[in-house]
Amino acid sequence: MQNNKILISTRNLTKYFGDNKVLDNIDIDITEGEKVVVIGPSGGGKSTFLRCLNLLEMPTSGLVEFEGAPLYKHYSVFTKEEIKAEKHALRQAKKQKDVEKTAGSIKKIEELKFKHAEQVKEEKGFTKRMEQNLNLHRQKMGMVFQQFNLFPHLTVLENITLAPVKLNLMTKEEAEKKADEFLKRVGLMEKKFSYPNQLSGGQKQRIAIVRSLAMNPSVMLFDEPTSALDPEMVGEVLDLIKEVAETGMTMVIVTHEMGFAKEVGTRILFMDEGRVDAQGTPDEIFNHPTQPRLVEFLSKVL
C-alpha cells in the first residue's frame, strides 16, 4: 500500500540571482518512500531547486516545509509587487481624472501596505523558529554533492563519524561501529584509515553517501552525484544509490543519467527555465511524453 505521508512540500518556491529568476513558483509535494528524479537541460534550475529544499540556497520567496514543519516562509515580496502595480494604476487613474478609480486605488494601496506590514511582522517572529527547525531537520536530510565535499584532513572513518558524534546522536564507539558496517557494505573497509586524496573519485563519492547515511536521514538529496566522475566510476556509485533506494529511503535525485532515472525513479520531474514543465511516472515521461519541450529534450539525450 502506498505511503502518502508528505515529507517535503514547497509552495510558490521562487529564487532570483540578481534579476535572473532561477526558480519560478514551484509547488511540489514529496511523499515518504518516493524516489523523485529531476531531469532537464543545464541551467534549468534543478540543482538550485534541490539546494533550496534544505536551505543550502536561501529562496527569495515561497514556502518550504519538512515533515510538516516550516523551514522557510516568505510572502511579502508578492505584496511589494502588488503595491507597485497598484501605484501605477493610481497614477493612470489620476491622469484620466477618474475619481472612482483613484479612490479605489488609494484604498487598495492602504490595504496592501497593511497586509505587507503584517507579513513582515509575522516573518520576523518566524525567523527564530525557522532556524531551530532548520538545524533540527537538516540532520534528517542527507545531501550528496557533485564534488564529494569530504574533509581532506580527516580519515574516511573520521569523515563518517564526525557529525553524529558532534551532534550527540551517537557515542564515538557507536558511530565507529556503524561506520564499519557501512564500509563493509560498500566494500571499502580497507580504506577506513585512508585520507580522501588516497581515494578514487568513485570511492570518494561512495564514502560521501555513507557519511550521509550514517546520520539515519529521512530523506537523501543527490545533486548530480556522478557528474564529476570518470565514466568507468559512474556505475559503482549508481549501483550504491540503487541499493539505498531498495531500502525504501525517500530520495530526490538530480541527474543526467536517463537510464538510471528510468530504473530508480518512482516519479520524474522535468525542469526547464525554473519551472516544473512535466512530471509523471518513468513510463509517462520517457515513453509517452506530451509536453513539447520535454519531447525536444528527450530527443537530444536518449
Side-chain angles (χ1 to χ4, degrees), residues 10-52:
T10 72
R11 293 292 179 268
N12 301 116
L13 179 61
T14 300
K15 174 66 181 176
Y16 281 88
F17 289 118
D19 294 330
N20 183 27
K21 186 185 274 190
V22 181
L23 298 179
D24 189 1
N25 290 304
I26 295 178
D27 292 352
I28 288 292
D29 290 330
I30 296 167
T31 58
E32 192 172 56
E34 272 198 294
K35 283 78 178 144
V36 177
V37 181
V38 188
I39 64 171
S42 296
K46 304 184 300 298
S47 289
T48 302
F49 166 67
L50 193 73
R51 292 170 69 86
C52 281

Short mmCIF file of all heavy atoms in Angstrom, two decimals, residues 10-52:
data_model
loop_
_atom_site.label_atom_id
_atom_site.label_comp_id
_atom_site.label_asym_id
_atom_site.label_seq_id
_atom_site.Cartn_x
_atom_site.Cartn_y
_atom_site.Cartn_z
N THR A 10 6.79 22.29 -1.12
CA THR A 10 7.12 23.67 -1.48
C THR A 10 5.88 24.32 -2.07
O THR A 10 5.09 23.67 -2.74
CB THR A 10 8.26 23.76 -2.51
OG1 THR A 10 7.79 23.33 -3.80
CG2 THR A 10 9.46 22.91 -2.11
N ARG A 11 5.72 25.60 -1.78
CA ARG A 11 4.62 26.38 -2.35
C ARG A 11 5.18 27.72 -2.83
O ARG A 11 5.85 28.43 -2.08
CB ARG A 11 3.52 26.63 -1.31
CG ARG A 11 2.78 25.37 -0.87
CD ARG A 11 1.94 24.79 -1.99
NE ARG A 11 1.24 23.57 -1.59
CZ ARG A 11 1.71 22.35 -1.74
NH1 ARG A 11 2.92 22.16 -2.26
NH2 ARG A 11 1.00 21.30 -1.37
N ASN A 12 4.91 28.03 -4.09
CA ASN A 12 5.37 29.28 -4.69
C ASN A 12 6.88 29.48 -4.49
O ASN A 12 7.34 30.62 -4.31
CB ASN A 12 4.62 30.49 -4.11
CG ASN A 12 3.12 30.40 -4.32
OD1 ASN A 12 2.37 30.30 -3.36
ND2 ASN A 12 2.69 30.41 -5.56
N LEU A 13 7.63 28.38 -4.54
CA LEU A 13 9.08 28.47 -4.31
C LEU A 13 9.73 29.23 -5.47
O LEU A 13 9.68 28.79 -6.63
CB LEU A 13 9.68 27.07 -4.18
CG LEU A 13 11.19 27.00 -3.97
CD1 LEU A 13 11.59 27.71 -2.68
CD2 LEU A 13 11.66 25.56 -3.96
N THR A 14 10.33 30.37 -5.13
CA THR A 14 10.91 31.26 -6.13
C THR A 14 12.31 31.65 -5.71
O THR A 14 12.57 31.89 -4.53
CB THR A 14 10.04 32.53 -6.30
OG1 THR A 14 8.73 32.13 -6.70
CG2 THR A 14 10.61 33.47 -7.34
N LYS A 15 13.22 31.69 -6.68
CA LYS A 15 14.59 32.09 -6.39
C LYS A 15 15.12 32.99 -7.51
O LYS A 15 15.02 32.65 -8.70
CB LYS A 15 15.49 30.85 -6.27
CG LYS A 15 16.98 31.17 -6.10
CD LYS A 15 17.28 31.85 -4.79
CE LYS A 15 18.77 32.18 -4.65
NZ LYS A 15 19.06 32.93 -3.41
N TYR A 16 15.63 34.13 -7.10
CA TYR A 16 16.31 35.05 -8.01
C TYR A 16 17.79 35.09 -7.69
O TYR A 16 18.18 35.08 -6.52
CB TYR A 16 15.77 36.47 -7.86
CG TYR A 16 14.44 36.75 -8.53
CD1 TYR A 16 13.25 36.51 -7.87
CD2 TYR A 16 14.39 37.29 -9.81
CE1 TYR A 16 12.02 36.79 -8.47
CE2 TYR A 16 13.18 37.58 -10.42
CZ TYR A 16 12.00 37.32 -9.74
OH TYR A 16 10.80 37.60 -10.34
N PHE A 17 18.63 35.16 -8.72
CA PHE A 17 20.02 35.57 -8.58
C PHE A 17 20.12 36.91 -9.29
O PHE A 17 20.15 36.97 -10.52
CB PHE A 17 20.98 34.55 -9.20
CG PHE A 17 21.09 33.27 -8.42
CD1 PHE A 17 20.70 32.06 -8.99
CD2 PHE A 17 21.58 33.27 -7.13
CE1 PHE A 17 20.81 30.87 -8.28
CE2 PHE A 17 21.69 32.09 -6.41
CZ PHE A 17 21.30 30.88 -6.98
N GLY A 18 20.13 38.01 -8.52
CA GLY A 18 20.03 39.33 -9.14
C GLY A 18 18.68 39.49 -9.79
O GLY A 18 17.64 39.28 -9.16
N ASP A 19 18.68 39.81 -11.08
CA ASP A 19 17.43 39.94 -11.83
C ASP A 19 17.04 38.65 -12.52
O ASP A 19 16.00 38.59 -13.20
CB ASP A 19 17.55 41.06 -12.89
CG ASP A 19 17.71 42.43 -12.25
OD1 ASP A 19 17.18 42.62 -11.14
OD2 ASP A 19 18.37 43.30 -12.86
N ASN A 20 17.86 37.63 -12.38
CA ASN A 20 17.61 36.36 -13.07
C ASN A 20 16.75 35.44 -12.22
O ASN A 20 17.16 35.01 -11.14
CB ASN A 20 18.95 35.68 -13.39
CG ASN A 20 18.78 34.40 -14.16
OD1 ASN A 20 17.81 34.22 -14.88
ND2 ASN A 20 19.72 33.49 -14.02
N LYS A 21 15.54 35.14 -12.70
CA LYS A 21 14.65 34.22 -11.96
C LYS A 21 15.04 32.79 -12.28
O LYS A 21 14.86 32.32 -13.40
CB LYS A 21 13.19 34.47 -12.35
CG LYS A 21 12.21 33.65 -11.52
CD LYS A 21 10.77 33.80 -11.98
CE LYS A 21 10.10 34.99 -11.35
NZ LYS A 21 8.64 35.00 -11.62
N VAL A 22 15.57 32.09 -11.27
CA VAL A 22 16.09 30.73 -11.47
C VAL A 22 15.03 29.68 -11.14
O VAL A 22 14.99 28.62 -11.74
CB VAL A 22 17.35 30.52 -10.60
CG1 VAL A 22 17.93 29.13 -10.81
CG2 VAL A 22 18.40 31.58 -10.94
N LEU A 23 14.18 29.97 -10.15
CA LEU A 23 13.04 29.11 -9.82
C LEU A 23 11.78 29.96 -9.88
O LEU A 23 11.74 31.07 -9.36
CB LEU A 23 13.19 28.50 -8.43
CG LEU A 23 14.39 27.58 -8.18
CD1 LEU A 23 14.40 27.09 -6.75
CD2 LEU A 23 14.40 26.42 -9.15
N ASP A 24 10.73 29.39 -10.49
CA ASP A 24 9.53 30.17 -10.80
C ASP A 24 8.29 29.53 -10.18
O ASP A 24 7.63 28.70 -10.79
CB ASP A 24 9.39 30.28 -12.32
CG ASP A 24 8.29 31.24 -12.74
OD1 ASP A 24 7.64 31.84 -11.87
OD2 ASP A 24 8.08 31.39 -13.97
N ASN A 25 8.00 29.87 -8.91
CA ASN A 25 6.76 29.45 -8.26
C ASN A 25 6.52 27.94 -8.32
O ASN A 25 5.53 27.47 -8.88
CB ASN A 25 5.57 30.19 -8.87
CG ASN A 25 5.56 31.66 -8.49
OD1 ASN A 25 5.57 32.01 -7.31
ND2 ASN A 25 5.58 32.52 -9.48
N ILE A 26 7.42 27.18 -7.72
CA ILE A 26 7.32 25.71 -7.77
C ILE A 26 6.50 25.19 -6.60
O ILE A 26 6.78 25.49 -5.44
CB ILE A 26 8.73 25.07 -7.75
CG1 ILE A 26 9.47 25.46 -9.03
CG2 ILE A 26 8.63 23.55 -7.62
CD1 ILE A 26 10.88 24.92 -9.09
N ASP A 27 5.47 24.40 -6.91
CA ASP A 27 4.64 23.72 -5.93
C ASP A 27 4.86 22.21 -6.07
O ASP A 27 4.50 21.64 -7.10
CB ASP A 27 3.15 24.01 -6.15
CG ASP A 27 2.78 25.46 -5.87
OD1 ASP A 27 3.62 26.21 -5.35
OD2 ASP A 27 1.63 25.85 -6.19
N ILE A 28 5.45 21.60 -5.05
CA ILE A 28 5.75 20.17 -5.10
C ILE A 28 5.51 19.54 -3.74
O ILE A 28 5.85 20.14 -2.71
CB ILE A 28 7.22 19.92 -5.52
CG1 ILE A 28 7.44 20.24 -7.01
CG2 ILE A 28 7.66 18.49 -5.26
CD1 ILE A 28 6.74 19.30 -7.97
N ASP A 29 4.93 18.34 -3.71
CA ASP A 29 4.86 17.51 -2.50
C ASP A 29 5.65 16.24 -2.76
O ASP A 29 5.45 15.59 -3.81
CB ASP A 29 3.42 17.14 -2.16
CG ASP A 29 2.62 18.34 -1.66
OD1 ASP A 29 3.21 19.25 -1.06
OD2 ASP A 29 1.39 18.36 -1.90
N ILE A 30 6.53 15.88 -1.84
CA ILE A 30 7.31 14.65 -1.95
C ILE A 30 6.93 13.75 -0.78
O ILE A 30 7.08 14.14 0.38
CB ILE A 30 8.81 14.95 -1.96
CG1 ILE A 30 9.17 15.78 -3.20
CG2 ILE A 30 9.63 13.65 -1.93
CD1 ILE A 30 10.55 16.38 -3.18
N THR A 31 6.42 12.57 -1.08
CA THR A 31 5.91 11.69 -0.04
C THR A 31 6.96 10.65 0.37
O THR A 31 7.90 10.36 -0.37
CB THR A 31 4.62 10.97 -0.50
OG1 THR A 31 4.89 10.23 -1.69
CG2 THR A 31 3.52 11.96 -0.78
N GLU A 32 6.74 10.12 1.56
CA GLU A 32 7.67 9.14 2.13
C GLU A 32 7.82 7.93 1.21
O GLU A 32 6.83 7.37 0.73
CB GLU A 32 7.14 8.69 3.49
CG GLU A 32 8.14 7.90 4.30
CD GLU A 32 7.64 7.66 5.71
OE1 GLU A 32 6.54 7.10 5.87
OE2 GLU A 32 8.35 8.04 6.65
N GLY A 33 9.06 7.56 0.95
CA GLY A 33 9.35 6.39 0.12
C GLY A 33 9.50 6.70 -1.36
O GLY A 33 9.94 5.84 -2.12
N GLU A 34 9.14 7.90 -1.77
CA GLU A 34 9.27 8.26 -3.20
C GLU A 34 10.74 8.40 -3.59
O GLU A 34 11.59 8.79 -2.79
CB GLU A 34 8.59 9.59 -3.49
CG GLU A 34 7.13 9.50 -3.85
CD GLU A 34 6.63 10.76 -4.54
OE1 GLU A 34 6.59 11.81 -3.88
OE2 GLU A 34 6.28 10.69 -5.73
N LYS A 35 11.01 8.08 -4.86
CA LYS A 35 12.30 8.36 -5.47
C LYS A 35 12.03 9.36 -6.60
O LYS A 35 11.65 8.98 -7.70
CB LYS A 35 12.95 7.11 -6.05
CG LYS A 35 13.58 6.21 -4.99
CD LYS A 35 12.55 5.40 -4.26
CE LYS A 35 13.18 4.48 -3.24
NZ LYS A 35 12.38 4.32 -2.03
N VAL A 36 12.17 10.64 -6.28
CA VAL A 36 11.86 11.70 -7.24
C VAL A 36 13.15 12.05 -7.98
O VAL A 36 14.13 12.49 -7.36
CB VAL A 36 11.29 12.94 -6.53
CG1 VAL A 36 11.04 14.07 -7.53
CG2 VAL A 36 10.00 12.58 -5.81
N VAL A 37 13.15 11.86 -9.28
CA VAL A 37 14.33 12.15 -10.10
C VAL A 37 14.06 13.39 -10.93
O VAL A 37 13.04 13.47 -11.62
CB VAL A 37 14.70 10.96 -11.00
CG1 VAL A 37 15.95 11.28 -11.81
CG2 VAL A 37 14.93 9.70 -10.16
N VAL A 38 14.97 14.36 -10.83
CA VAL A 38 14.79 15.64 -11.52
C VAL A 38 15.71 15.67 -12.73
O VAL A 38 16.94 15.53 -12.60
CB VAL A 38 15.11 16.82 -10.58
CG1 VAL A 38 14.75 18.14 -11.25
CG2 VAL A 38 14.37 16.67 -9.24
N ILE A 39 15.12 15.84 -13.91
CA ILE A 39 15.89 15.90 -15.15
C ILE A 39 15.61 17.22 -15.86
O ILE A 39 14.68 17.94 -15.50
CB ILE A 39 15.55 14.72 -16.09
CG1 ILE A 39 14.08 14.80 -16.55
CG2 ILE A 39 15.83 13.38 -15.40
CD1 ILE A 39 13.72 13.81 -17.65
N GLY A 40 16.41 17.51 -16.86
CA GLY A 40 16.19 18.73 -17.64
C GLY A 40 17.50 19.30 -18.12
O GLY A 40 18.59 18.84 -17.74
N PRO A 41 17.44 20.33 -18.97
CA PRO A 41 18.66 20.91 -19.52
C PRO A 41 19.48 21.63 -18.46
O PRO A 41 18.96 22.04 -17.42
CB PRO A 41 18.13 21.91 -20.58
CG PRO A 41 16.75 22.25 -20.10
CD PRO A 41 16.22 21.00 -19.46
N SER A 42 20.76 21.79 -18.72
CA SER A 42 21.62 22.55 -17.82
C SER A 42 21.11 23.99 -17.73
O SER A 42 20.67 24.57 -18.72
CB SER A 42 23.07 22.55 -18.35
OG SER A 42 23.59 21.25 -18.34
N GLY A 43 21.17 24.54 -16.51
CA GLY A 43 20.69 25.90 -16.32
C GLY A 43 19.20 26.01 -16.12
O GLY A 43 18.65 27.10 -16.04
N GLY A 44 18.52 24.85 -16.00
CA GLY A 44 17.07 24.85 -15.85
C GLY A 44 16.59 25.03 -14.42
O GLY A 44 15.39 25.12 -14.17
N GLY A 45 17.53 25.05 -13.44
CA GLY A 45 17.15 25.28 -12.05
C GLY A 45 17.15 24.03 -11.18
O GLY A 45 16.77 24.09 -10.01
N LYS A 46 17.59 22.89 -11.72
CA LYS A 46 17.50 21.62 -11.00
C LYS A 46 18.29 21.64 -9.69
O LYS A 46 17.75 21.32 -8.62
CB LYS A 46 17.99 20.47 -11.89
CG LYS A 46 17.29 20.32 -13.22
CD LYS A 46 17.77 19.11 -14.00
CE LYS A 46 19.24 19.12 -14.32
NZ LYS A 46 19.66 20.26 -15.19
N SER A 47 19.57 21.99 -9.77
CA SER A 47 20.41 21.97 -8.57
C SER A 47 19.97 23.04 -7.57
O SER A 47 20.01 22.81 -6.35
CB SER A 47 21.88 22.17 -8.95
OG SER A 47 22.38 21.03 -9.61
N THR A 48 19.56 24.20 -8.07
CA THR A 48 19.08 25.26 -7.17
C THR A 48 17.83 24.79 -6.43
O THR A 48 17.69 25.03 -5.23
CB THR A 48 18.77 26.55 -7.97
OG1 THR A 48 19.96 26.97 -8.64
CG2 THR A 48 18.30 27.66 -7.05
N PHE A 49 16.92 24.11 -7.14
CA PHE A 49 15.72 23.56 -6.50
C PHE A 49 16.11 22.61 -5.38
O PHE A 49 15.60 22.70 -4.26
CB PHE A 49 14.87 22.84 -7.55
CG PHE A 49 13.79 21.96 -6.99
CD1 PHE A 49 12.72 22.52 -6.31
CD2 PHE A 49 13.85 20.59 -7.13
CE1 PHE A 49 11.73 21.71 -5.75
CE2 PHE A 49 12.85 19.78 -6.59
CZ PHE A 49 11.79 20.34 -5.90
N LEU A 50 17.03 21.71 -5.66
CA LEU A 50 17.45 20.73 -4.66
C LEU A 50 18.06 21.42 -3.44
O LEU A 50 17.74 21.08 -2.29
CB LEU A 50 18.47 19.77 -5.27
CG LEU A 50 18.78 18.50 -4.46
CD1 LEU A 50 17.61 17.54 -4.55
CD2 LEU A 50 20.05 17.83 -4.96
N ARG A 51 18.91 22.40 -3.67
CA ARG A 51 19.59 23.09 -2.58
C ARG A 51 18.63 23.96 -1.77
O ARG A 51 18.89 24.24 -0.60
CB ARG A 51 20.76 23.93 -3.13
CG ARG A 51 21.88 23.07 -3.69
CD ARG A 51 22.90 23.91 -4.43
NE ARG A 51 23.66 24.75 -3.53
CZ ARG A 51 24.76 24.37 -2.88
NH1 ARG A 51 25.24 23.16 -3.04
NH2 ARG A 51 25.39 25.21 -2.09
N CYS A 52 17.53 24.38 -2.39
CA CYS A 52 16.52 25.14 -1.64
C CYS A 52 15.71 24.24 -0.70
O CYS A 52 15.11 24.74 0.26
CB CYS A 52 15.57 25.86 -2.60
SG CYS A 52 16.25 27.39 -3.30
#
